[in-house]
Amino acid sequence: MKFFLIAGEPSGDNLGGPLMAGLKTLDPEAAFLGVGGPSMGAEGLESLFPMEELSVMGIVEVLPKYRQLKARIRQTAKAVAEARPDALITIDSPDFCLRVAREAREMMPDLRTIHYVAPSVWAWRSGRAAKMAQVIDHVLAILPFEPPYMQAAGMSCDFVGHPIAAEPVGTADEGIAFREAHDIAADAPLILCLPGSRRGEVARLGPRFDEALMQLRDRLPEIRVVIPTVRGVSGLVRDMAKRWPTAPIVVETPEDKRAAFAAANLALAASGTVSLDLAANDVPMVIGYDVAPLSRMIIGLMLKTDTVTLVNLVSETRTVPEFLGRKCQPGAMFKALHELIENPAARAAQHEAMALTMERLGRGGEAPGLRAARSVMAALSSARQPR
């Protein structure tokens, strides 16, 4: 079978690689085309153009790149129609992916379409599900409470587990080795700083996270900071790190990141999937996030939930402190970090919520990539059955 896949950012690429591996397990002759990053490239995808061009978030942030994104949408939709795949699989990045699906379907009306990662209609913009159903046949959901929302809009949907539940986590020995390699005392608080994987996120959140951690360092001089980063923003992150009197450790490889997570005591992180990475590694956290003022105002009017942190949502608790929009201020985040260090009960509550989250996301079950591949094949098989 032939699949055209599109991922627009690192989190989507990390879903696409295991999905491709799962599809190859079920169909060793499977062929792949599309747009992706290193994880999908490792499974044989030659990206139509660099995936990083699509890693833009926020209503205002997209405007300067609108013309370029429109050209990429047309180019990608045309490539789909020319390839005539058995299915178009779009992965997250709905603002780009669903426009491609719509244009591709106009050229190829019988195109089967599958979207990986349900839109967060439970949080805001509930009309997105109905709009998505106009161009998407089947959805692969990574959160257990999402399928009913998609089915109500007219799409078939399976919960396929969250990839983070199956990813390897760092061991205690790796954590010890990381501290020794970087001359970090065994009892020194080690903080992960995770300001995001997009350039706009790092530019906006980086200075605030930086200042919050500087304030924490003034109170606790023995703390050390590690900043895990990704290819597209590593330069920005390294520039940020130069301000520190005691330079943070910047890590980029998967092996170093895993070891850093194993060594860490807590984290200051952007809102998003990273909260689940931290939960998988049992690292207590404080969450901060903000967008451009106009985007913030619009999102604030539409938000339907009192928390956006996935650990809070999946565990049905509110143990992870979060600072969103105007509340994303260095002083407030510093106080929350300091409280987490000083309060064992707060850390224990997070440990319990994180364990419950991972259980509900499928830890210990079939690998999500293979589970997602089975869902894809079942959806395509069902589509071939006479109505």
Side-chain angles (χ1 to χ4, degrees), residues 4 6 35 48-49 53-54 62 65-80 93-104 107:
F4 198 108
I6 306 170
V35 179
L48 195 61
F49 52 83
E53 290 186 20
L54 308 181
V62 168
K65 297 190 175 183
Y66 180 75
R67 191 169 293 179
Q68 176 188 350
L69 290 171
K70 283 285 289 183
R72 289 304 194 192
I73 289 167
R74 288 192 298 270
Q75 176 190 3
T76 309
K78 183 179 178 182
V80 174
S93 303
D95 290 333
F96 181 85
C97 287
L98 299 187
R99 285 173 171 81
V100 171
R102 186 176 299 277
E103 291 197 14
M107 293 181 276

Side-chain angles (χ1 to χ4, degrees), residues 26-271:
L26 302 179
D27 176 9
E29 301 301 316
F32 304 101
L33 306 94
V35 179
S39 179
M40 295 166 71
E43 295 296 335
L45 182 77
E46 292 187 14
S47 188
L48 195 61
F49 52 83
M51 180 190 73
E52 286 81 4
E53 290 186 20
L54 308 181
S55 297
V56 183
M57 186 176 184
I59 298 162
V60 176
E61 293 84 345
V62 168
L63 293 178
K65 297 190 175 183
Y66 180 75
R67 191 169 293 179
Q68 176 188 350
L69 290 171
K70 283 285 289 183
R72 289 304 194 192
I73 289 167
R74 288 192 298 270
Q75 176 190 3
T76 309
K78 183 179 178 182
V80 174
E82 289 175 349
R84 301 197 66 81
D86 291 280
L88 167 64
I89 303 175
T90 52
I91 309 173
D92 212 356
S93 303
D95 290 333
F96 181 85
C97 287
L98 299 187
R99 285 173 171 81
V100 171
R102 186 176 299 277
E103 291 197 14
R105 259 206 169 154
E106 289 174 0
M107 293 181 276
M108 187 182 170
D110 60 345
L111 176 66
R112 300 300 300 176
T113 53
I114 296 168
H115 191 71
Y116 198 172
V117 183
S120 51
V121 297
W122 38 267
W124 72 304
R125 290 174 60 195
S126 55
R128 285 178 293 169
K131 187 175 180 181
M132 192 167 95
Q134 297 172 8
V135 294
I136 295 296
D137 301 310
H138 183 66
V139 181
L140 309 174
I142 63 174
L143 297 174
F145 51 78
E146 293 177 322
Y149 292 95
M150 302 299 102
Q151 292 158 356
M155 297 169 284
S156 57
C157 181
D158 293 327
F159 168 60
V160 297
H162 201 292
I164 284 175
E167 288 180 1
V169 297
T171 65
D173 286 345
E174 287 177 311
I176 292 169
F178 184 88
R179 283 177 174 262
E180 290 177 348
H182 295 281
D183 196 25
I184 303 170
D187 59 349
L190 181 60
I191 320 295
L192 296 175
C193 176
L194 298 144
S197 60
R198 305 176 184 93
R199 294 184 67 83
E201 288 175 331
V202 174
R204 182 171 293 105
L205 299 177
R208 301 185 208 184
F209 284 17
D210 188 5
E211 180 60 31
L213 292 167
M214 287 285 197
Q215 291 183 31
L216 187 64
R217 181 178 173 275
D218 289 342
R219 183 69 62 88
L220 300 170
E222 68 273 20
I223 72 161
R224 296 291 300 275
V225 175
V226 177
I227 312 179
T229 190
V230 295
R231 180 179 60 179
V233 297
S234 60
L236 277 178
V237 166
R238 292 180 190 280
D239 286 343
M240 183 177 76
K242 291 176 183 176
R243 288 188 58 234
W244 281 67
T246 302
I249 302 156
V250 180
V251 297
E252 203 167 341
T253 69
E255 297 77 15
D256 284 343
K257 289 180 188 178
R258 187 167 61 243
F261 274 59
N265 299 103
L266 69 155
L268 175 59
S271 177

Side-chain angles (χ1 to χ4, degrees), residues 322-345:
E322 63 180 17
F323 300 89
L324 309 178
R326 295 183 187 277
K327 296 180 181 178
C328 183
Q329 297 299 326
M333 292 185 287
F334 149 68
K335 290 177 182 176
L337 288 166
H338 190 256
E339 168 70 10
L340 204 51
I341 289 174
E342 298 294 324
N343 188 341

